[in-house]
Amino acid sequence: MNSDASKQNRLTILLPAGRLPLPVMAKAYELAERYGLEVYLSTLQNLRLMGLDEEQLAQARAELAPLGVDFKGPGKFPVPRVCIGKRDCSAGVQEPEELSRQLLAYFQDRGPFKPKIKIAISGCPFCCSGVKTTDIGIMGTKKGYDIYAGGKGGPNPVVGRRIVREADAAQVIRTVETLLSYHDVKTPKKQRLARLLGEPDFPFPEV
């Protein structure tokens, strides 16, 4: 086996709210230069180092961990995909980064969570982060957040069902908790939430 064929691994660094801290950026650049890696910014706002062999993978983890980095892995709470919010966008009416931070803090010691749930948060109804085509979509409005369930992309996209209007942060957290608990009960291994919308005991009606 040649050396290129042996480099099959990738390391995914989770970036809450899509923010890339400068020390992590610098270390990722250093590792990519050292090992000849590709750096990929995923549609879920994570950073991937691609093309690692087993030894390089272990070394990269060891060097990134002291920077407080969290890595993608089974059972973890899905880090929300987030738009830039009202501070940096003239259309913004809410700060999705802060809501994402609250969700991550609340769920960080819970789980494990089953795949393939995804979460998105937008700071306004333009939905730049794809809230209506995400399993759990949280859309900022002038009066709070509207919550959508069961959206998905792919070759047959589905627009989610609006289940809550004008929620505050506490209600958003309770709703996400209910949806994740329901998904866990109904899902043997992995499943998109869209497949559960038709269940008679789905916990939320359309509003």
Side-chain angles (χ1 to χ4, degrees):
M1 179 181 294
N2 63 45
S3 58
D4 290 337
S6 68
K7 291 189 174 186
Q8 301 294 323
N9 298 297
R10 64 187 183 190
L11 182 62
T12 300
I13 300 165
L14 302 179
L15 301 176
R19 270 58 176 183
L20 176 55
L22 291 180
V24 177
M25 181 189 296
K27 177 56 69 174
Y29 175 80
E30 178 190 332
L31 291 165
E33 281 277 287
R34 186 192 311 166
Y35 297 132
L37 309 176
E38 290 184 335
V39 178
Y40 175 66
L41 299 175
S42 77
T43 57
L44 291 179
Q45 299 179 327
N46 299 321
L47 185 151
R48 292 179 186 169
L49 297 176
M50 303 173 68
L52 296 141
D53 63 29
E54 291 293 336
E55 182 178 346
Q56 293 165 353
L57 177 63
Q59 185 62 31
R61 280 181 171 272
E63 293 186 32
L64 285 162
L67 301 176
V69 165
D70 194 14
F71 303 105
K72 182 180 179 181
K76 292 190 174 182
F77 178 75
V79 176
R81 182 173 59 241
V82 172
C83 76
I84 59 176
K86 68 179 182 180
R87 188 195 69 182
D88 298 301
C89 177
S90 60
V93 293
Q94 299 290 344
E95 285 293 4
E97 181 184 4
E98 174 57 28
L99 181 57
S100 175
R101 187 180 296 113
Q102 291 181 47
L103 284 166
L104 291 168
Y106 184 84
F107 288 103
Q108 66 178 352
D109 296 323
R110 297 167 184 258
F113 301 97
K114 293 178 182 175
K116 297 176 60 93
I117 289 286
K118 298 176 183 177
I119 299 174
I121 310 172
S122 73
C124 81
F126 282 137
C127 304
C128 292
S129 54
V131 299
K132 291 185 179 180
T133 52
T134 302
D135 297 274
I136 301 174
I138 304 162
M139 184 183 78
T141 73
K142 291 181 178 179
K143 296 183 179 180
Y145 289 95
D146 289 358
I147 304 174
Y148 291 78
K152 75 178 191 69
N156 299 297
V158 174
V159 173
R161 173 193 299 173
R162 183 166 54 192
I163 59 171
V164 176
R165 291 177 182 262
E166 300 175 5
D168 60 15
Q171 188 177 2
V172 169
I173 291 171
R174 291 195 301 270
T175 303
V176 171
E177 186 170 35
T178 299
L179 289 170
L180 291 175
S181 296
Y182 183 79
H183 179 262
D184 181 65
V185 169
K186 293 286 187 174
T187 301
K189 292 184 178 179
K190 61 183 180 180
Q191 183 170 223
R192 299 303 298 267
L193 195 60
R195 293 184 174 271
L196 300 176
L197 290 181
E199 294 290 318
D201 62 343
F202 189 79
F204 296 99
E206 186 171 9
V207 298

